[in-house]
């Protein structure tokens, strides 16, 4: 249902003119002044007001403590303890209360939620009322008064209001309603029973803007019992109470009791799309998009076999239709996801999938079982989504990345499916804790740093925004490495992340491609055209085997795919060599092939390491392009050829690593598909887009020509031809300009000659993008200035972003609970809504809640550090953090020198002076590349300083330093929410964007940083006074470097003292750190550490002074966190779709429930419906 016509919403507007501020969004007609079908138009108009209320005054403060005299019913509706110790969970599972007042736990008391997880119930951390309840931020008396005033003005209809242009559309996902079974707050929420909401109730609720059907996100559908009743005193004869009565909503206390007794109803029972939904069955699986050619035994090569006459053809089609209906009927609906069904699934997987005893308390087994149970529900959506994409024949995007730093999958999956609360309760009743179970997951070692994490953020967003997209990469056996600290030094160990398997992936032994290496190129004459053709033959053949991982979207049924390739030998075992006694030779080829996908970024200090890196890159792009072409050719219809490939396929290269795919696609089109050069080149350039992530020379890969000629002989021929034709264009543009030719040539004229892969990507792509405004400017002016002149408009900017699903909702449940309790869950898919909270930045109660969330996050980190490192961290201190890949340009050394200076000041102070100092906890984390000795020395120095500081009694209560080893996504989710200050202090012009800066600010931390990367845009978004900036600018850096050997050095006594302390052995053997100290001498200070040191200390002092004024500091962090919508990956992906891929989303929704038939099987099991002719053919003419 949805579309057209205005209606009076059955709920009040928010106070203060800020529609939707507390979850009640006015919903007008599709053509009202709010912007019609555009769910973002309201926010675009509203934000221009600078966060003020509609009438220009400050919104009335509805944020005050909950009254102490609330009745038991009111307390029950708010998640406050009920008599006898039970309570109703406002954001998640119900903790049941028996007749005697005891909960269903053996101890008879309400269960504490570990990890302060607001996605289940932040407000219900303890049954005795400990902790803080974000739902109690709202004073119902103030809100009710505002509602009365609003209603008395006669303005309850959007179009009758003087500021109707500011009416908010429904707080749902930007692309449509929440699907069945999904709750956007990450848990089951308040799920009403079928008897409590009828179809007529939905009809009376009125249509939504545009074509939105009534949905349960951000309004009151998903949290009906709380979001409606929560904001008005119960029993008050207000319009709100009348609306509750009119909609047939029961008293909240009754709802709590009903749910406590019967368990939460399945959210699919609230499906507003269902015409005649069976109240005891989940939604049906799709059937209309099934590819019947896959069912046809007489299908050969994609062409169907037809009988001799129409009668046999009709009989054949009827047989296929009957078989299709039969197979569909056997699994016609989605898996039921109530608590008993989940428990049955868990036990079945323990016993049948794992063949283990269900009675043995084993967290490892139940993690595996839980993962398989969740994966079952992912695969349903995954297969249906892919069939839907194929049926719609829309354009698809393929994201090629050498890294995918996905993090743990279970938490993300259950949140995106809306099943976190259901799984938590199912496991709790079996004696397990969901957080404990999730901690059993070994994080996949598929990436190193920001590049891989960005790729994973993009995959999450692509699915959430319903774009048809796949990610392609490598399934590394050992990943990069596991970092351990041995005697304060980094030592690399293999990361055995696959020891116990990976339950989230599906091994595709039927999806294999041959990848050739080495060999020779032979020519032959094309018999049809007489043209000379090339054939690559001989050499070594490796088999690429696919492993698929479903990537679920949040608030949608769409589930995309990440396909990773594993290398296998074409011949598993040489029996002849084995029988001859050559046992190692018998498996040599196998080991050589499998080594291709063993380790991420093998050291390239040796020639063999360089060869292995190039093998990796070519292996994965060759398998990927073969797979992409196979899928495209499978869907070729009359009138469509390979010339139309760019209309249906977009390929995005994530950095320079996959750029060898350009000559590989040319090879496939020229040698396999027999296309002429010009046609193949046109297809290639219109298909590829290239994202440049750095201007650092070492990251802009170059390969030796002799090495490429040996390993990839055919590709070297193609690269030569590409370069020859391109340089002819350069000559035509700038006749006789040899400098231009030399600068733009793909082949670098050096000894030996080198292939410049970034140049190849630039020439072979139709769009090249930078990842921050300053980075894109530098790409145009420094990296590719000649290309920018030759191809004006080809280089564009798309600033990076991160997914709020992972980095707020999952990483920071305390803060997410605050947002959800006030705004409803719709903010997760639209961070612009957080801007409505900025007027409350100075509200005392809101600040108290905000600071409590920060305190809990600090305590959570401190507990982990104590358990894993043996250090007791202060929690009443400012948390100062720098966590990222260790590199000289990221200037962790600058941070360490600053800590040494602080240590010197503390050591030289009196006890009275130290008592007045601001306590500080410094956290550093990150990995150094195995062959990067300078970076490893920085880690060693940081560990030495940490040891000295933490063991000096003078620093007790004033300064602590920890270097956290083996930094990964899971640790980032723990560290980032605890930060007060984060350091992003790279030498200006060297950091392309950075995404850690975005994550820290989203989580309520402020930045000390340089004018580099995305820092500049973040400062503009959050206010320059909320970013403590220092150092030389990108334009100044080049001049400073040119004069560093001749200009007067910076003579800062604080820096000199820090250097003297290091050189004198205060932190261990000074010879270990002599190279680091030499590198910051005036003539060697390439990264401007000494130059920027005074400004760096000044910026830290300004931040410390601001932190001492806590109300002002808290207001800064609130405003900053609520101003970060531009740095959501949702915005980034939409820009890519518009600027680069030219593609539209394809939201998948399951078919409606059908009338009649079957009922439920086994008390809410799978449905066995009557088809009523649904599966039969309506005659041959209607079948095709």
């Amino acid at each position: 249902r949805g579309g057209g016509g205005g209606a009076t919403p059955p709920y009040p507007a928010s106070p203060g003119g800020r529609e939707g501020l507390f979850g009640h969004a006015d919903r007008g007609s599709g053509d009202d002044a709010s912007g019609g079908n555009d769910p973002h138009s309201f926010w675009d108009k509203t934000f221009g007001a600078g966060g003020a209320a509609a009438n220009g005054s400050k919104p009335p403060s509805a944020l005050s403590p909950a009254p102490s005299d609330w009745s038991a019913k009111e307390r029950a509706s708010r998640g406050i303890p009920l008599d006898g110790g039970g309570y109703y969970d406002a954001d998640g599972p119900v903790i049941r209360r028996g007749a005697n007042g005891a909960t269903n736990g053996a101890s008879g008391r309400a269960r504490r939620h570990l990890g302060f997880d607001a996605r289940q119930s932040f407000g219900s951390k303890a049954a005795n009322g400990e902790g803080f309840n974000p739902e109690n931020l709202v004073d119902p008396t103030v809100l009710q008064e505002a509602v009365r005033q609003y209603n008395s003005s006669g303005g309850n209809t959007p179009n009758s209001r003087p500021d109707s242009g500011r009416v908010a559309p429904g707080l749902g996902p930007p692309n449509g309603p929440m699907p069945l079974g999904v709750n956007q707050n990450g848990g089951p929420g308040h799920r009403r029973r079928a008897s409590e909401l009828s179809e007529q109730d939905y009809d009376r609720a009125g249509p939504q803007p545009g074509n939105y059907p009534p949905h349960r996100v951000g309004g009151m559908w998903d949290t009906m019992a709380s979001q409606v009743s929560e904001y008005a005193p119960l029993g008050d004869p207000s319009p709100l109470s009348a609306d509750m009565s009119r909609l047939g909503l029961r008293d909240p206390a009754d709802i709590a009791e009903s749910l406590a007794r019967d368990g939460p109803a399945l959210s699919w029972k609230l499906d507003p799309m269902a015409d005649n939904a069976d109240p005891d069955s989940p939604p049906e699986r799709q059937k209309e998009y099934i590819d019947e050619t896959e069912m046809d035994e007489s299908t050969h090569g994609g062409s169907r076999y037809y009988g001799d006459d129409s009668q046999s053809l009709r009989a054949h089609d009827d047989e296929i239709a009957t078989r299709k209906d039969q197979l569909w009927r056997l699994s016609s609906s989605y898996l039921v996801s109530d608590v008993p069904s989940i428990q049955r699934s868990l036990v079945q997987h323990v016993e049948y999938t794992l063949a283990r005893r269900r009675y043995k308390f084993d967290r490892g087994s139940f993690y595996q079982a839980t993962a398989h149970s969740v994966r079952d529900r992912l695969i349903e959506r995954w297969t249906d989504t892919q069939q839907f994409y194929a049926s719609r024949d829309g354009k698809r995007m393929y994201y090629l990345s050498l890294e995918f730093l996905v993090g743990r999958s279970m938490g993300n999956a259950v949140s995106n499916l809306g099943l976190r609360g259901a799984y938590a309760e199912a496991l709790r009743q079996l004696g397990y804790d969901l957080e404990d179970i999730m901690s059993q997951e070994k994080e996949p070692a598929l990436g190193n740093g920001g590049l891989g994490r960005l790729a994973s953020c993009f995959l999450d967003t692509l699915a959430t925004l319903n774009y048809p997209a796949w990610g392609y990469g490598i399934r590394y056996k050992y990943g990069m490495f596991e970092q351990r600290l041995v005697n304060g030094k980094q030592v690399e160990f293999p990361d055995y992340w696959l020891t116990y398997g990976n339950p989230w992936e599906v091994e595709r032994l039927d999806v294999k491609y041959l990848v050739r290496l080495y060999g020779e190129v032979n020519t032959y004459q094309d018999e049809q055209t007489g043209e000379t053709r090339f054939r690559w033959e001989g050499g070594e053949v490796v088999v690429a085997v696919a492993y698929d991982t479903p990537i679920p979207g949040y608030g949608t049924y769409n589930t995309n795919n990440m396909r990773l390739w594993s290398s296998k030998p074409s011949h598993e075992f040489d029996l002849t060599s084995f029988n001859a006694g050559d046992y190692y030779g018998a498996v040599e080829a196998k080991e050589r092939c499998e080594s291709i996908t063993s380790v991420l970024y093998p050291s390239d200090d040796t020639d063999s390491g360089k060869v292995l890196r190039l093998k990796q890159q070519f292996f994965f792009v060759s398998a990927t392009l073969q797979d992409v072409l196979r899928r495209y050719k499978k869907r070729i219809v009359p009138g469509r050829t390979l010339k139309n490939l760019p209309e249906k396929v977009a390929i995005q290269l994530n950095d320079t690593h996959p750029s060898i795919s350009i000559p590989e696609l040319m090879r496939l089109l020229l040698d396999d598909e027999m296309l002429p050069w010009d046609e193949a080149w046109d297809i290639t350039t219109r298909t590829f887009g290239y994202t440049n992530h750095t201007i650092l020379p070492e990251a802009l890969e170059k390969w030796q020509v002799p090495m490429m000629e040996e390993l990839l002989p055919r590709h070297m021929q193609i690269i030569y031809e590409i370069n020859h034709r391109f340089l002819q264009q350069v000559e035509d543009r700038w006749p006789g300009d040899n400098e231009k030719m030399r600068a733009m040539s793909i082949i670098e004229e050096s000894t030996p000659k080198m292939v410049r892969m970034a140049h190849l990507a630039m020439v072979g792509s139709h769009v090249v993008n930078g990842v921050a405004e300053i980075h894109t400017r530098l790409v145009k002016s420094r990296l590719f200035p000649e290309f920018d002149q030759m191809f004006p408009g080809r280089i564009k900017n798309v600033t990076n972003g991160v997914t709020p699903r992972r980095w707020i909702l999952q990483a920071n449940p305390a803060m997410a609970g605050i947002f959800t309790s006030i705004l409803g869950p719709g903010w997760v898919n639209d961070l612009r809504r957080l801007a409505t909270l900025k007027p409350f930045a100075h509200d005392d109660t809101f600040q108290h809640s905000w600071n409590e969330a920060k305190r809990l996050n600090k305590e959570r980190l401190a507990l982990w550090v104590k358990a894993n490192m043996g250090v007791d961290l202060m929690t009443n201190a400012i948390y100062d953090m720098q966590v990222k890949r260790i590199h000289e340009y990221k200037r962790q050394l600058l941070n360490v020198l600053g800590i040494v200076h602080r240590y010197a000041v503390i050591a030289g102070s009196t006890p009275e002076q130290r008592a007045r100092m601001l306590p500080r906890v410094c956290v550093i984390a990150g990995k150094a590349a195995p062959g990067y000795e300078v970076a490893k020395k920085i880690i060693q120095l940081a560990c030495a300083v940490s040891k000295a500081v933490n063991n000096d009694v003078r620093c007790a209560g004033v300064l602590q330093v920890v270097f956290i080893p083996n930094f990964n996504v899971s640790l980032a989710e723990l560290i980032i929410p605890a930060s007060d200050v984060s350091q992003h202090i790279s030498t200006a012009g060297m950091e392309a964007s950075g995404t850690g800066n975005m994550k820290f600010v989203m989580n309520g931390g402020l930045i000390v940083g340089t004018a580099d990367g995305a820092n500049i845009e973040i400062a503009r978004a959050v206010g320059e006074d909320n970013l403590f900036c220092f150092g030389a600018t990108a334009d100044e850096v080049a001049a400073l470097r040119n004069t560093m050997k001749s200009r007067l050095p910076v003579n800062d006594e604080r820096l000199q003292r820090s250097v003297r302390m290091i050189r004198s052995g205060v932190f261990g053997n000074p010879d270990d750190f002599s190279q680091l100290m030499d590198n910051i001498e005036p003539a060697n200070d390439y990264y401007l550490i000494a130059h920027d040191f005074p400004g760096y200390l000044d910026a830290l002092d300004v931040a410390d002074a601001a932190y001492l004024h806590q109300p002002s500091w808290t207001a800064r962090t609130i405003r900053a966190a609520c101003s970060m919508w531009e740095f959501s990956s949702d915005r980034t992906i939409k820009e890519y779709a518009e600027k680069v891929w030219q593609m539209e989303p394809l939201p998948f929704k399951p078919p409606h429930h059908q009338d009649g038939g079957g009922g439920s099987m086994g008390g809410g099991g799978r449905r066995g419906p009557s088809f009523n002719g649904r599966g039969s053919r309506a005659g041959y003419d209607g079948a095709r």
Side-chain angles (χ1 to χ4, degrees), residues 45 134 146 161 275 642 900 913 970 1027 1056 1064 1092-1093 1138:
K45 297 174 184 177
R161 302 187 49 200
D275 296 324
L642 283 169
V900 172
Q913 290 173 328
S970 300
L1027 192 148
Q1056 298 306 319
S1064 64
D1092 285 351
F1093 188 79
E1138 176 185 347

Side-chain angles (χ1 to χ4, degrees), residues 693-704:
H693 284 280
T694 183
I695 61 172
L696 296 181
E698 65 266 27
L700 299 173
E701 290 180 313
K702 300 177 184 179
W703 298 116
Q704 297 178 8

Side-chain angles (χ1 to χ4, degrees), residues 168-401:
L171 292 180
N175 296 314
M178 193 72 171
L180 318 179
V182 176
N183 176 354
Q184 282 217 353
N185 65 5
H190 300 283
R191 289 174 177 165
R192 303 282 298 173
R193 301 195 66 78
S195 60
E196 298 172 81
L197 264 182
S198 65
E199 279 299 303
Q200 289 72 28
D201 292 330
Y202 284 112
D203 291 336
R204 288 197 296 269
Q208 307 301 303
N211 295 320
Y212 287 12
H215 49 77
R216 309 178 318 284
V217 288
M220 62 183 185
W221 300 112
D222 193 45
T223 54
M224 192 70 70
S226 63
Q227 283 192 325
V228 175
S229 63
E230 193 169 82
Y231 308 113
L234 300 178
D236 187 87
S238 64
L240 183 56
S241 299
D243 282 324
M244 289 178 61
S245 175
R246 181 172 66 82
L247 285 173
L249 303 183
R250 302 188 319 202
D251 186 279
D254 295 338
I255 296 170
E257 290 294 337
S258 171
L259 290 174
R261 181 180 63 254
D262 303 325
L266 293 179
S267 59
W268 42 259
K269 293 181 181 181
L270 286 174
D271 181 18
M273 301 288 291
D275 296 324
N276 295 286
D278 181 344
D280 291 321
S281 65
E284 290 178 352
R285 302 280 300 277
Q286 66 85 19
K287 185 175 64 169
E288 301 306 315
Y289 313 128
I290 297 173
D291 184 358
E292 295 184 3
T293 61
E294 296 179 340
M295 302 175 57
D296 193 345
E297 295 178 357
S298 58
T299 298
H300 301 282
S303 300
R304 294 199 58 203
Y305 167 78
Y306 293 98
D308 296 333
D309 52 37
S310 60
Q311 184 175 358
S312 61
L313 176 59
R314 190 182 306 245
H316 180 79
D317 284 347
D318 288 342
E319 178 186 351
I320 295 295
T322 301
R323 191 188 315 158
K324 172 182 171 182
D325 288 343
Q326 180 184 13
L327 292 171
W328 178 82
R329 190 160 49 241
L330 292 171
S331 183
S332 62
S333 61
Y334 286 94
L335 288 169
V336 180
S337 294
D338 59 3
V339 170
S341 299
I342 289 174
Q343 290 173 334
R344 282 192 294 271
S345 172
L346 296 176
V347 171
Q348 287 171 355
H349 278 298
V350 168
E351 193 155 13
Y352 300 120
T353 305
L354 305 176
R356 295 176 186 171
R357 298 188 301 276
R358 54 176 134 159
Y359 305 102
K360 181 180 179 181
F361 193 90
D362 180 1
R363 290 186 181 88
S365 296
F366 263 83
Y367 159 69
Q368 292 279 341
T370 304
H372 280 94
S373 174
V374 176
R375 195 188 75 165
D376 291 344
R377 287 152 178 80
L378 285 174
I379 287 177
E380 293 180 320
R381 300 166 184 245
W382 181 41
T383 56
D384 286 357
T385 300
Q386 301 312 312
Q387 289 176 347
F388 172 74
Y389 287 163
S391 71
R392 286 296 182 265
D393 196 27
K395 189 172 187 177
R396 299 196 192 196
M397 192 280 294
Y398 300 103
Y399 197 79
L400 275 59
S401 178

Side-chain angles (χ1 to χ4, degrees), residues 397-404 451 455 458-459 462 470-474 563 565 617-626 628 649-662 664-665 687-691 693 1141:
M397 192 280 294
Y398 300 103
Y399 197 79
L400 275 59
S401 178
L402 206 60
E403 299 182 39
F404 285 101
L451 184 73
F458 282 2
L459 292 190
L462 286 161
W470 282 31
Y472 279 98
I474 294 178
R563 174 160 287 180
W565 301 105
Q617 296 176 10
F618 176 71
F619 165 80
F620 109 83
V621 302
S622 177
T624 296
L625 292 175
Q626 292 181 67
V628 169
V649 170
I651 300 176
Q652 190 67 29
L653 307 179
N654 189 31
D655 214 6
T656 316
H657 310 122
S659 55
I660 192 66
S661 57
I662 292 172
E664 171 63 359
L665 181 58
T687 299
F688 283 107
Y690 163 52
T691 300
H693 284 280
W1141 307 327

Side-chain angles (χ1 to χ4, degrees), residues 530-830:
E531 296 179 355
T532 300
R533 293 286 180 181
F534 298 85
R535 182 182 292 118
W536 185 20
E537 298 174 317
E540 181 179 303
V541 176
V542 182
V543 178
V545 179
Y547 288 78
D548 290 347
T549 302
I551 306 295
Y554 183 90
T556 177
Y557 267 100
N558 285 55
T559 301
N560 288 340
N561 191 39
M562 179 177 68
R563 174 160 287 180
L564 305 179
W565 301 105
S566 181
S567 58
K568 305 292 182 183
S570 55
H571 300 287
E572 187 76 17
F573 186 72
D574 187 351
L575 185 59
T576 302
S577 297
F578 186 86
N579 290 335
D582 186 5
Y583 305 126
Y584 292 106
V587 295
E588 180 184 3
K590 177 178 183 295
E591 295 300 320
R592 188 169 58 250
C593 291
E594 292 183 350
S595 67
I596 293 176
T597 56
S598 290
V599 179
L600 168 65
Y601 296 143
S603 176
D604 58 358
D605 292 339
T606 63
D607 289 341
S608 59
K610 292 181 174 68
V611 170
L612 183 55
R613 281 205 180 192
L614 183 55
K615 281 184 179 180
Q616 280 187 339
Q617 296 176 10
F618 176 71
F619 165 80
F620 109 83
V621 302
S622 177
T624 296
L625 292 175
Q626 292 181 67
D627 197 42
V628 169
L629 287 178
R630 176 199 59 81
R631 189 172 300 109
Y632 172 79
K633 290 163 66 176
K634 182 180 177 182
R635 293 290 167 186
I636 285 183
V637 297
R640 183 188 300 170
T641 66
L642 283 169
K643 293 180 182 179
N644 306 105
L645 181 71
E647 301 168 13
K648 295 297 180 182
V649 170
I651 300 176
Q652 190 67 29
L653 307 179
N654 189 31
D655 214 6
T656 316
H657 310 122
S659 55
I660 192 66
S661 57
I662 292 172
E664 171 63 359
L665 181 58
M666 286 294 291
R667 184 190 69 82
L668 292 170
L669 295 176
L670 293 170
D671 299 351
D672 291 358
E673 304 298 335
M674 304 296 182
L675 296 183
W677 178 277
D678 290 341
E679 191 173 308
W681 183 244
D682 177 68
I683 293 170
T684 299
T685 54
R686 290 194 296 125
T687 299
F688 283 107
Y690 163 52
T691 300
N692 175 275
H693 284 280
T694 183
I695 61 172
L696 296 181
E698 65 266 27
L700 299 173
E701 290 180 313
K702 300 177 184 179
W703 298 116
Q704 297 178 8
V705 168
M707 184 182 74
M708 286 200 69
E709 288 177 330
E710 180 184 8
L711 184 64
L712 303 172
R714 177 61 177 138
H715 298 77
M716 199 62 242
Q717 291 179 346
I718 293 173
I719 291 172
Y720 275 133
E721 183 66 20
I722 292 172
N723 193 48
H724 172 70
R725 292 174 181 242
F726 172 66
L727 290 181
Q728 285 182 333
Q729 298 177 29
V730 174
E731 174 66 21
D732 293 342
R733 176 72 183 272
W734 294 287
D737 193 336
N738 292 329
E739 284 301 316
K740 281 280 195 303
M741 299 272 282
R742 186 177 296 109
M744 301 180 73
S745 174
I746 297 172
I747 307 299
E748 181 181 85
E749 298 298 330
S750 57
T751 305
K753 291 183 178 181
M754 307 289 285
V755 180
R756 297 192 277 204
M757 304 305 287
H759 284 51
L760 176 61
M762 179 74 206
V763 173
S765 303
H766 70 285
V767 174
V768 176
N769 73 279
V771 292
E773 290 178 0
I774 184 175
H775 172 242
T776 303
R777 178 169 64 83
L778 293 175
V779 169
K780 290 182 176 181
S781 61
R782 296 186 187 177
L783 185 61
F784 295 133
E786 300 85 2
F787 289 94
D788 189 46
Q789 295 176 43
M790 185 164 184
F791 305 113
R794 177 172 293 189
I795 302 175
K796 304 178 185 295
N797 178 65
V798 183
T799 300
N800 282 342
V802 299
T803 170
R805 271 77 62 182
R806 170 76 68 167
W807 294 110
I808 302 179
L809 183 67
Q810 185 166 327
N812 196 345
M815 192 173 78
I818 297 175
F819 293 157
T820 300
S821 66
I822 299 174
L823 295 171
W827 65 268
V828 180
N829 281 4
D830 187 359

Side-chain angles (χ1 to χ4, degrees), residues 65-76:
S68 60
D69 59 348
W70 272 346
S71 67
K73 290 182 178 180
E74 292 166 330
R75 296 176 72 81

